[in-house]
Amino acid sequence: HANGTTTLIASAQTGYSPFSWLTYRVVVAGESIQISINNERLIDTSNSDQTSGFIAVHTNRTSASIDNLSVIQP
């Protein structure tokens, strides 16, 4: 989300149940972005449009329960 505009960088279809607990892992290093669910890498992409930002959890037309969210800087 930049300057009031949201831009989709990447997406992936999954067969995971929305009614079970899942473990998400997001690794951002420079322009590289890797996203996994339950240790299955679903997205491996890059984006050079953003040089800084923040973390947020967003759902679309649904609710979510979040537990044990952490941000680690190497």
Side-chain angles (χ1 to χ4, degrees):
H1 188 86
N3 301 321
T5 302
T6 300
T7 302
L8 179 64
I9 296 170
S11 66
Q13 294 289 329
T14 73
Y16 293 105
S17 169
F19 304 106
S20 61
W21 283 102
L22 302 170
T23 300
Y24 289 79
R25 179 178 173 99
V26 179
V27 177
V28 179
E31 297 177 2
S32 172
I33 303 168
Q34 298 174 341
I35 302 173
S36 303
I37 299 177
N38 292 350
N39 292 319
E40 176 188 5
R41 185 170 297 160
L42 298 171
I43 294 175
D44 192 346
T45 190
S46 64
N47 183 307
S48 61
D49 294 338
Q50 307 298 321
T51 59
S52 65
F54 56 91
I55 185 171
V57 177
H58 173 78
T59 62
N60 188 18
R61 291 182 261 162
T62 190
S63 62
S65 295
I66 309 298
D67 188 24
N68 298 327
L69 176 68
S70 61
V71 177
I72 301 168
Q73 182 175 355

